[in-house]
Structures are given as C-alpha cells and as structure tokens.
Amino acid sequence: LEAIDDNPAWTGTASGIPLLYARVDGLGTGDDALINEVEIVEPSLFFRHAPDAAETLATALIRRCRARI
C-alpha cells in the first residue's frame, strides 16, 4: 500500500481524497511473502464473509459524499 500512497496518479488520490477501499492478496513462501494481487476496485467485496461489511461500506460512502472536498 505504500507504493500506492507514493503514486497518487495511479489511483486518482492526487486530489487529496484517500482511497475508500484497497486489498492486497499475498502468498506465504516460508520466511517470505509474495504479493499476488492488489485491488482498489473489488467487484464482490466479499460481503458474504463479513455480515457488517455492506453497512460499513455504505456508511463510509455516505460520509464521503457529504464531506466537503
């Protein structure tokens, strides 16, 4: 995520608006970890795995829309 933060043009965050969502998938290989995938747009958001996730996202989106940007 540091690489994403260091390159705001990649995500549109150059305007100072932070990302609302990001996910990094990794694979463990003994003592090392490998990045498998980085997503800032997630089609499913895995709502079925976290019962409160949809409400949390909706609340964050409402807060973002109401914020003065």
Side-chain angles (χ1 to χ4, degrees):
L1 290 176
E2 185 177 322
I4 292 171
D5 287 341
D6 290 345
N7 295 281
W10 294 353
T11 61
T13 57
S15 61
I17 301 169
L19 289 175
L20 190 56
Y21 171 88
R23 189 182 90 215
V24 178
D25 295 344
L27 301 170
T29 60
D31 293 335
D32 295 323
L34 303 172
I35 293 176
N36 184 44
E37 180 178 26
V38 177
E39 292 188 12
I40 59 172
V41 176
E42 173 61 57
S44 74
L45 295 173
F46 294 91
F47 288 145
R48 68 181 181 270
H49 298 288
D52 296 333
E55 185 174 342
T56 300
L57 178 60
T59 300
L61 288 169
I62 291 167
R63 189 176 305 124
R64 175 69 58 89
C65 289
R66 289 181 177 163
R68 294 185 145 230
I69 301 171

mmCIF file with all atom_site columns, all heavy atoms in Angstrom, residues 1-14:
data_model
loop_
_atom_site.group_PDB
_atom_site.id
_atom_site.type_symbol
_atom_site.label_atom_id
_atom_site.label_alt_id
_atom_site.label_comp_id
_atom_site.label_asym_id
_atom_site.label_entity_id
_atom_site.label_seq_id
_atom_site.pdbx_PDB_ins_code
_atom_site.Cartn_x
_atom_site.Cartn_y
_atom_site.Cartn_z
_atom_site.occupancy
_atom_site.B_iso_or_equiv
_atom_site.pdbx_formal_charge
_atom_site.auth_seq_id
_atom_site.auth_comp_id
_atom_site.auth_asym_id
_atom_site.auth_atom_id
_atom_site.pdbx_PDB_model_num
ATOM 1   N N   . LEU A 1 1  ? 0.811  -1.204 0.000   1.00 0.00 ? 1  LEU A N   1
ATOM 2   C CA  . LEU A 1 1  ? 0.000  0.000  0.000   1.00 0.00 ? 1  LEU A CA  1
ATOM 3   C C   . LEU A 1 1  ? 0.850  1.262  0.000   1.00 0.00 ? 1  LEU A C   1
ATOM 4   O O   . LEU A 1 1  ? 0.402  2.296  -0.466  1.00 0.00 ? 1  LEU A O   1
ATOM 5   C CB  . LEU A 1 1  ? -0.953 -0.010 1.195   1.00 0.00 ? 1  LEU A CB  1
ATOM 6   C CG  . LEU A 1 1  ? -2.077 -1.040 1.121   1.00 0.00 ? 1  LEU A CG  1
ATOM 7   C CD1 . LEU A 1 1  ? -2.922 -1.038 2.390   1.00 0.00 ? 1  LEU A CD1 1
ATOM 8   C CD2 . LEU A 1 1  ? -2.942 -0.837 -0.092  1.00 0.00 ? 1  LEU A CD2 1
ATOM 9   N N   . GLU A 1 2  ? 2.068  1.161  0.478   1.00 0.00 ? 2  GLU A N   1
ATOM 10  C CA  . GLU A 1 2  ? 2.962  2.321  0.442   1.00 0.00 ? 2  GLU A CA  1
ATOM 11  C C   . GLU A 1 2  ? 3.230  2.758  -0.993  1.00 0.00 ? 2  GLU A C   1
ATOM 12  O O   . GLU A 1 2  ? 3.268  3.954  -1.290  1.00 0.00 ? 2  GLU A O   1
ATOM 13  C CB  . GLU A 1 2  ? 4.269  1.995  1.156   1.00 0.00 ? 2  GLU A CB  1
ATOM 14  C CG  . GLU A 1 2  ? 5.193  3.189  1.273   1.00 0.00 ? 2  GLU A CG  1
ATOM 15  C CD  . GLU A 1 2  ? 6.467  2.851  2.048   1.00 0.00 ? 2  GLU A CD  1
ATOM 16  O OE1 . GLU A 1 2  ? 6.386  2.098  3.027   1.00 0.00 ? 2  GLU A OE1 1
ATOM 17  O OE2 . GLU A 1 2  ? 7.518  3.351  1.646   1.00 0.00 ? 2  GLU A OE2 1
ATOM 18  N N   . ALA A 1 3  ? 3.402  1.797  -1.906  1.00 0.00 ? 3  ALA A N   1
ATOM 19  C CA  . ALA A 1 3  ? 3.625  2.130  -3.312  1.00 0.00 ? 3  ALA A CA  1
ATOM 20  C C   . ALA A 1 3  ? 2.421  2.856  -3.895  1.00 0.00 ? 3  ALA A C   1
ATOM 21  O O   . ALA A 1 3  ? 2.560  3.778  -4.690  1.00 0.00 ? 3  ALA A O   1
ATOM 22  C CB  . ALA A 1 3  ? 3.925  0.870  -4.119  1.00 0.00 ? 3  ALA A CB  1
ATOM 23  N N   . ILE A 1 4  ? 1.228  2.454  -3.489  1.00 0.00 ? 4  ILE A N   1
ATOM 24  C CA  . ILE A 1 4  ? 0.013  3.129  -3.948  1.00 0.00 ? 4  ILE A CA  1
ATOM 25  C C   . ILE A 1 4  ? -0.024 4.549  -3.398  1.00 0.00 ? 4  ILE A C   1
ATOM 26  O O   . ILE A 1 4  ? -0.297 5.500  -4.123  1.00 0.00 ? 4  ILE A O   1
ATOM 27  C CB  . ILE A 1 4  ? -1.243 2.342  -3.531  1.00 0.00 ? 4  ILE A CB  1
ATOM 28  C CG1 . ILE A 1 4  ? -1.316 1.019  -4.302  1.00 0.00 ? 4  ILE A CG1 1
ATOM 29  C CG2 . ILE A 1 4  ? -2.507 3.162  -3.754  1.00 0.00 ? 4  ILE A CG2 1
ATOM 30  C CD1 . ILE A 1 4  ? -2.381 0.070  -3.813  1.00 0.00 ? 4  ILE A CD1 1
ATOM 31  N N   . ASP A 1 5  ? 0.275  4.700  -2.106  1.00 0.00 ? 5  ASP A N   1
ATOM 32  C CA  . ASP A 1 5  ? 0.289  6.035  -1.497  1.00 0.00 ? 5  ASP A CA  1
ATOM 33  C C   . ASP A 1 5  ? 1.333  6.943  -2.129  1.00 0.00 ? 5  ASP A C   1
ATOM 34  O O   . ASP A 1 5  ? 1.130  8.143  -2.252  1.00 0.00 ? 5  ASP A O   1
ATOM 35  C CB  . ASP A 1 5  ? 0.561  5.936  0.005   1.00 0.00 ? 5  ASP A CB  1
ATOM 36  C CG  . ASP A 1 5  ? -0.620 5.392  0.784   1.00 0.00 ? 5  ASP A CG  1
ATOM 37  O OD1 . ASP A 1 5  ? -1.756 5.419  0.259   1.00 0.00 ? 5  ASP A OD1 1
ATOM 38  O OD2 . ASP A 1 5  ? -0.405 4.929  1.925   1.00 0.00 ? 5  ASP A OD2 1
ATOM 39  N N   . ASP A 1 6  ? 2.458  6.354  -2.533  1.00 0.00 ? 6  ASP A N   1
ATOM 40  C CA  . ASP A 1 6  ? 3.543  7.146  -3.126  1.00 0.00 ? 6  ASP A CA  1
ATOM 41  C C   . ASP A 1 6  ? 3.275  7.530  -4.578  1.00 0.00 ? 6  ASP A C   1
ATOM 42  O O   . ASP A 1 6  ? 4.031  8.315  -5.160  1.00 0.00 ? 6  ASP A O   1
ATOM 43  C CB  . ASP A 1 6  ? 4.864  6.386  -3.053  1.00 0.00 ? 6  ASP A CB  1
ATOM 44  C CG  . ASP A 1 6  ? 5.397  6.279  -1.628  1.00 0.00 ? 6  ASP A CG  1
ATOM 45  O OD1 . ASP A 1 6  ? 4.909  7.024  -0.751  1.00 0.00 ? 6  ASP A OD1 1
ATOM 46  O OD2 . ASP A 1 6  ? 6.282  5.436  -1.398  1.00 0.00 ? 6  ASP A OD2 1
ATOM 47  N N   . ASN A 1 7  ? 2.226  6.982  -5.182  1.00 0.00 ? 7  ASN A N   1
ATOM 48  C CA  . ASN A 1 7  ? 1.908  7.248  -6.595  1.00 0.00 ? 7  ASN A CA  1
ATOM 49  C C   . ASN A 1 7  ? 0.431  7.598  -6.752  1.00 0.00 ? 7  ASN A C   1
ATOM 50  O O   . ASN A 1 7  ? -0.346 6.836  -7.327  1.00 0.00 ? 7  ASN A O   1
ATOM 51  C CB  . ASN A 1 7  ? 2.269  6.017  -7.439  1.00 0.00 ? 7  ASN A CB  1
ATOM 52  C CG  . ASN A 1 7  ? 3.753  5.761  -7.431  1.00 0.00 ? 7  ASN A CG  1
ATOM 53  O OD1 . ASN A 1 7  ? 4.500  6.411  -8.139  1.00 0.00 ? 7  ASN A OD1 1
ATOM 54  N ND2 . ASN A 1 7  ? 4.194  4.837  -6.591  1.00 0.00 ? 7  ASN A ND2 1
ATOM 55  N N   . PRO A 1 8  ? 0.021  8.752  -6.241  1.00 0.00 ? 8  PRO A N   1
ATOM 56  C CA  . PRO A 1 8  ? -1.397 9.103  -6.251  1.00 0.00 ? 8  PRO A CA  1
ATOM 57  C C   . PRO A 1 8  ? -2.014 9.211  -7.642  1.00 0.00 ? 8  PRO A C   1
ATOM 58  O O   . PRO A 1 8  ? -3.223 9.063  -7.785  1.00 0.00 ? 8  PRO A O   1
ATOM 59  C CB  . PRO A 1 8  ? -1.451 10.433 -5.504  1.00 0.00 ? 8  PRO A CB  1
ATOM 60  C CG  . PRO A 1 8  ? -0.065 10.979 -5.582  1.00 0.00 ? 8  PRO A CG  1
ATOM 61  C CD  . PRO A 1 8  ? 0.840  9.787  -5.645  1.00 0.00 ? 8  PRO A CD  1
ATOM 62  N N   . ALA A 1 9  ? -1.211 9.409  -8.668  1.00 0.00 ? 9  ALA A N   1
ATOM 63  C CA  . ALA A 1 9  ? -1.754 9.478  -10.027 1.00 0.00 ? 9  ALA A CA  1
ATOM 64  C C   . ALA A 1 9  ? -2.320 8.122  -10.468 1.00 0.00 ? 9  ALA A C   1
ATOM 65  O O   . ALA A 1 9  ? -3.202 8.057  -11.315 1.00 0.00 ? 9  ALA A O   1
ATOM 66  C CB  . ALA A 1 9  ? -0.687 9.941  -11.007 1.00 0.00 ? 9  ALA A CB  1
ATOM 67  N N   . TRP A 1 10 ? -1.823 7.028  -9.884  1.00 0.00 ? 10 TRP A N   1
ATOM 68  C CA  . TRP A 1 10 ? -2.323 5.697  -10.233 1.00 0.00 ? 10 TRP A CA  1
ATOM 69  C C   . TRP A 1 10 ? -3.773 5.508  -9.809  1.00 0.00 ? 10 TRP A C   1
ATOM 70  O O   . TRP A 1 10 ? -4.515 4.758  -10.420 1.00 0.00 ? 10 TRP A O   1
ATOM 71  C CB  . TRP A 1 10 ? -1.513 4.608  -9.548  1.00 0.00 ? 10 TRP A CB  1
ATOM 72  C CG  . TRP A 1 10 ? -0.090 4.481  -9.965  1.00 0.00 ? 10 TRP A CG  1
ATOM 73  C CD1 . TRP A 1 10 ? 0.541  5.142  -10.987 1.00 0.00 ? 10 TRP A CD1 1
ATOM 74  C CD2 . TRP A 1 10 ? 0.891  3.644  -9.373  1.00 0.00 ? 10 TRP A CD2 1
ATOM 75  N NE1 . TRP A 1 10 ? 1.854  4.760  -11.046 1.00 0.00 ? 10 TRP A NE1 1
ATOM 76  C CE2 . TRP A 1 10 ? 2.094  3.837  -10.077 1.00 0.00 ? 10 TRP A CE2 1
ATOM 77  C CE3 . TRP A 1 10 ? 0.866  2.746  -8.312  1.00 0.00 ? 10 TRP A CE3 1
ATOM 78  C CZ2 . TRP A 1 10 ? 3.265  3.168  -9.751  1.00 0.00 ? 10 TRP A CZ2 1
ATOM 79  C CZ3 . TRP A 1 10 ? 2.027  2.072  -7.984  1.00 0.00 ? 10 TRP A CZ3 1
ATOM 80  C CH2 . TRP A 1 10 ? 3.214  2.284  -8.706  1.00 0.00 ? 10 TRP A CH2 1
ATOM 81  N N   . THR A 1 11 ? -4.169 6.172  -8.737  1.00 0.00 ? 11 THR A N   1
ATOM 82  C CA  . THR A 1 11 ? -5.475 5.901  -8.127  1.00 0.00 ? 11 THR A CA  1
ATOM 83  C C   . THR A 1 11 ? -6.439 7.077  -8.162  1.00 0.00 ? 11 THR A C   1
ATOM 84  O O   . THR A 1 11 ? -7.584 6.932  -7.772  1.00 0.00 ? 11 THR A O   1
ATOM 85  C CB  . THR A 1 11 ? -5.290 5.502  -6.658  1.00 0.00 ? 11 THR A CB  1
ATOM 86  O OG1 . THR A 1 11 ? -4.668 6.601  -5.975  1.00 0.00 ? 11 THR A OG1 1
ATOM 87  C CG2 . THR A 1 11 ? -4.450 4.254  -6.518  1.00 0.00 ? 11 THR A CG2 1
ATOM 88  N N   . GLY A 1 12 ? -5.965 8.229  -8.577  1.00 0.00 ? 12 GLY A N   1
ATOM 89  C CA  . GLY A 1 12 ? -6.824 9.408  -8.555  1.00 0.00 ? 12 GLY A CA  1
ATOM 90  C C   . GLY A 1 12 ? -6.828 10.100 -7.212  1.00 0.00 ? 12 GLY A C   1
ATOM 91  O O   . GLY A 1 12 ? -7.607 11.013 -6.981  1.00 0.00 ? 12 GLY A O   1
ATOM 92  N N   . THR A 1 13 ? -5.947 9.672  -6.296  1.00 0.00 ? 13 THR A N   1
ATOM 93  C CA  . THR A 1 13 ? -5.917 10.293 -4.972  1.00 0.00 ? 13 THR A CA  1
ATOM 94  C C   . THR A 1 13 ? -5.069 11.566 -4.941  1.00 0.00 ? 13 THR A C   1
ATOM 95  O O   . THR A 1 13 ? -4.891 12.157 -3.891  1.00 0.00 ? 13 THR A O   1
ATOM 96  C CB  . THR A 1 13 ? -5.391 9.303  -3.909  1.00 0.00 ? 13 THR A CB  1
ATOM 97  O OG1 . THR A 1 13 ? -4.097 8.857  -4.290  1.00 0.00 ? 13 THR A OG1 1
ATOM 98  C CG2 . THR A 1 13 ? -6.326 8.115  -3.753  1.00 0.00 ? 13 THR A CG2 1
ATOM 99  N N   . ALA A 1 14 ? -4.587 11.986 -6.100  1.00 0.00 ? 14 ALA A N   1
ATOM 100 C CA  . ALA A 1 14 ? -3.771 13.207 -6.167  1.00 0.00 ? 14 ALA A CA  1
ATOM 101 C C   . ALA A 1 14 ? -4.548 14.420 -5.685  1.00 0.00 ? 14 ALA A C   1
ATOM 102 O O   . ALA A 1 14 ? -3.959 15.400 -5.248  1.00 0.00 ? 14 ALA A O   1
ATOM 103 C CB  . ALA A 1 14 ? -3.262 13.421 -7.588  1.00 0.00 ? 14 ALA A CB  1
#
